[in-house]
Structures are given as C-alpha cells and as structure tokens.
Amino acid sequence: MGDFGIGLVGAGGMGKSLVLEANQIEGVKVVFVSDLDEDRARSLAEEVNASYTLDYHGLLCDDRIHAVFVASPPFLHATISIDAMNSGKHVFCEKPMATTLKDCDAMIKTAEQNQVNLGVGLVCRFHATHSKVREIVVSEQLGKPISMHVHRIGGPWKGGSYHTDWRMQREKCGGFLMEVNAHEIDFMRWTCGEIKKVYAAGGTYIQHEADYADLVVASLNFENGAVGLLHSGQVSAIGGYGGRVDCEKGSIFFPQIWGGDSKIQIKRFDGSGEDIPISSIEVESPVRAEIRAFIDATIDGVAPPVAGADGRAATEIALAAYRSIETGDPVNLPM
C-alpha cells in the first residue's frame, strides 16, 4: 500500500485542523478538499497541496482516497458519511457523530454492510489530562470510582463562525450538549463506564437566539454504581473547565484541564498524595494522535479505538438530558 489517501469534506476550522495534522503523519496524503465555499476549499487545498471540489461526490470515486474525513455542520454528517461508506471509503466523522439516534444507527449499519471503519472525533481521549485521569481511575489504585464531576462553562456564542444560523438550531448542531459536550460526556463514560440513567435540569437564560438550553446540570448514574455530574453552560462570564473523581481510597482533582501551571492533584484518605503537572505528561498532538490511531486501525483491519458506538452513546446521553429537562423526569438508557 502506498500513501494513505484522505479526502476532506468541510474546510472550516475543524476540517482545516484535521488535514493540517494529517499532513504531518508519514505515509498520509491529503488528496482532495471539498467545501461549498470555493475560496475556503481552494485556500486549504493549496496549503496541503491537494485538489479541491465544491461537490463532495466528486471525490468519492477517486481510488487514491482510502478514507473520507467529515467535518461539515453536524446535520450533514450522516448523509455525507453514508455516501462515502457506500462508495467503499472508510470514514472519520467529527463529533457529534449525528444529532439523532436514527442517523447514528444508519451510519453504523452502513459501515457494517460495507465492511469499512467508522471513527468518531472524540479527541479528548488523546489529551494529557483526560487520558491521565482515566488511567488512574481504571487502574483502581484509588479503588473503584464513586463520583465524577466535570464542568465546562463559558459565555454565549456571539459573532463570527460560532453564531451561524445552523448553530442556533438543535436539530442542526445538536445544541451545546452535543457540539461541545460530546467530549465531556465521552470522557465521563470512558472513565467510569456505561450510563444507565440521566436526570437533568436547565433552560435558556441568555442565548435566546438558540432553541436549546444554554445551561444544563445533568446527573449521570453509571452501571457500576458511581454517580456523575456534568455542568454545561454558556451563561458564565467566568468560564472554567475542570473536575474531580472521588474514589474509595482517595480523590483526583483537576481544576483546569489545560493551560498555565495546571496540575492533577491526587490525595488519599491515608494522607498521602502527589501532584502531576499537566505539562509533564507527554502526549502527541491530540488531533494528530486521533487521526494516527484511526489510520493505523484501518490499515491493520481492526476497529478504530473511538468508533461509531462511542459517538452514538454521546448523542444518546445528550438526548436523554434534553428530554429530562423537557419532562422533569429521569430518563433511563437505552432510550
């Protein structure tokens, strides 16, 4: 096999990040870039020495392309991914995988029917803090997890690419819980296991242009008995991103996921403990690492480490939280 060829659909910020990082991996070649905006498609194609097209169907018949990377707005993920897989291409789809379970299931079924890989861009699994916290928890050096709390909060989307029409519609973007918090939902599930019940409260307080909640506080009941709390919001003038895991023998505290002098604090009930500076945790560029992992799995003929089932789970948990807010009742999984 020669170069592993990639075709990109969606040349916005995330699409650009994907192909620039892919271009740094030996043996990988970005062949085609597709976007409805010709200037954007041409500019990115020139940057990675690729061809470009305004119609993504044009790249699906190119035999040099082994995998299609989908970085379009979320409501188009399923259509593009299914078209690509029906053309015999492997697919790496950005999060959220899709905004409905019907679309998630159709994508998974299409991958199985065509015997191709379907990977999902839940990149936090490759970040230093997330991966180290998960490593500590699953090692059970602190015993089994009892509770996990993660917050990712900030202000409303105002201006620029974050205030586009489709981003204000839950049907098209999945709302903040999917387009942003797919990462935190996946992180919590990856760390503590499957979730069996979701109970959420929230509403729209500031971002009135959007048709979805801009504040969500969700209680997650894990199958292993642990309890999780996800605090998601666009109503805070003092943002933050961090959390903690309390276990049988001690706790893990990560007040900041990244930046500055951030560190992971470990404290045991016997009084012992340690601090792990996040800057001391060596990881490859996370986006490059997730791409490499997907490509390596595809070449080896095995399932990718972050697959369709993981993307579907993040969507289902977000949908359960939205339903719980609407009804005032807890929602059992599967829905």
Side-chain angles (χ1 to χ4, degrees):
M1 181 178 179
D3 286 341
F4 188 95
I6 290 174
L8 172 72
V9 182
M14 197 61 239
K16 182 174 183 178
S17 176
L18 287 172
V19 295
L20 290 180
E21 291 292 344
N23 227 27
Q24 301 300 312
I25 302 174
E26 185 177 357
V28 175
K29 168 63 178 173
V30 181
V31 178
F32 251 111
V33 171
S34 176
D35 197 281
L36 294 176
D37 184 320
E38 185 170 7
D39 289 339
R40 190 160 59 186
R42 181 194 301 113
S43 176
L44 182 55
E46 290 175 351
E47 193 167 351
V48 295
N49 193 29
S51 301
Y52 77 91
T53 178
L54 305 187
D55 183 353
Y56 73 86
H57 294 92
L59 60 82
L60 299 184
C61 59
D62 193 318
D63 291 337
R64 296 173 298 168
I65 294 175
H66 299 93
V68 174
F69 281 37
V70 180
S72 65
F75 69 98
L76 297 173
H77 284 180
T79 298
I80 297 168
S81 297
I82 288 170
D83 284 347
M85 290 186 286
N86 280 333
S87 298
K89 308 298 186 186
H90 303 281
V91 166
F92 179 90
C93 181
E94 259 307 319
K95 57 76 199 161
M97 176 180 171
T99 60
T100 69
L101 293 182
K102 180 180 178 181
D103 280 347
C104 290
D105 289 338
M107 293 166 71
I108 292 170
K109 182 178 180 180
T110 304
E112 292 171 348
Q113 289 174 334
N114 290 283
Q115 298 183 338
V116 295
N117 267 353
L118 171 60
V120 181
L122 293 167
V123 71
C124 283
R125 295 193 185 200
F126 299 88
H127 277 278
T129 303
H130 303 78
S131 56
K132 177 57 70 173
V133 168
R134 195 257 184 179
E135 176 188 314
I136 296 167
V137 172
V138 300
S139 74
E140 295 195 1
Q141 60 183 273
L142 296 176
K144 296 184 183 300
I146 297 170
S147 70
M148 182 174 188
H149 166 233
V150 177
H151 67 272
R152 185 170 184 174
I153 54 176
W157 280 335
K158 296 291 185 183
S161 62
Y162 282 101
H163 202 269
T164 58
D165 179 66
W166 62 264
R167 271 204 170 96
M168 297 297 106
Q169 301 176 55
R170 199 183 97 186
E171 181 182 11
K172 293 186 174 182
C173 74
F176 205 69
L177 272 183
M178 289 189 208
E179 199 180 2
V180 175
N181 298 125
H183 291 306
E184 288 64 59
I185 290 170
D186 181 67
F187 174 37
M188 297 177 78
R189 173 178 169 265
W190 185 49
T191 300
C192 290
E194 298 295 341
I195 293 165
K196 66 178 183 179
K197 184 165 65 176
V198 178
Y199 188 28
T204 304
Y205 297 89
I206 294 178
Q207 190 83 65
H208 294 288
E209 306 96 316
D211 66 1
Y212 51 84
D214 57 13
L215 170 66
V216 178
V217 179
S219 173
L220 312 175
N221 288 73
F222 295 92
E223 289 184 354
N224 62 7
V227 177
L229 181 69
L230 172 64
H231 179 187
S232 157
Q234 298 167 270
V235 300
S236 177
I238 303 175
Y241 187 13
R244 63 186 304 132
V245 184
D246 296 316
C247 302
E248 294 171 318
K249 300 177 183 179
S251 298
I252 309 161
F253 181 45
F254 43 105
Q256 289 179 266
I257 292 289
W258 48 58
D261 298 323
S262 304
K263 59 187 177 181
I264 298 170
Q265 302 173 39
I266 301 172
K267 181 70 177 293
R268 299 173 183 84
F269 286 116
D270 65 9
S272 64
E274 60 183 297
D275 290 347
I276 304 174
I278 294 172
S279 60
S280 72
I281 306 170
E282 295 185 4
V283 294
E284 183 179 22
S285 162
V287 174
R288 192 180 309 167
E290 71 171 346
I291 294 170
R292 187 191 301 277
F294 169 77
I295 292 174
D296 286 349
T298 301
I299 292 173
D300 292 341
V302 298
V306 190
D310 301 302
R312 185 192 190 280
T315 292
E316 182 178 37
I317 294 161
L319 287 172
Y322 285 134
R323 180 181 294 180
S324 183
I325 291 171
E326 292 164 1
T327 64
D329 298 320
V331 176
N332 293 318
L333 302 180
M335 292 177 65

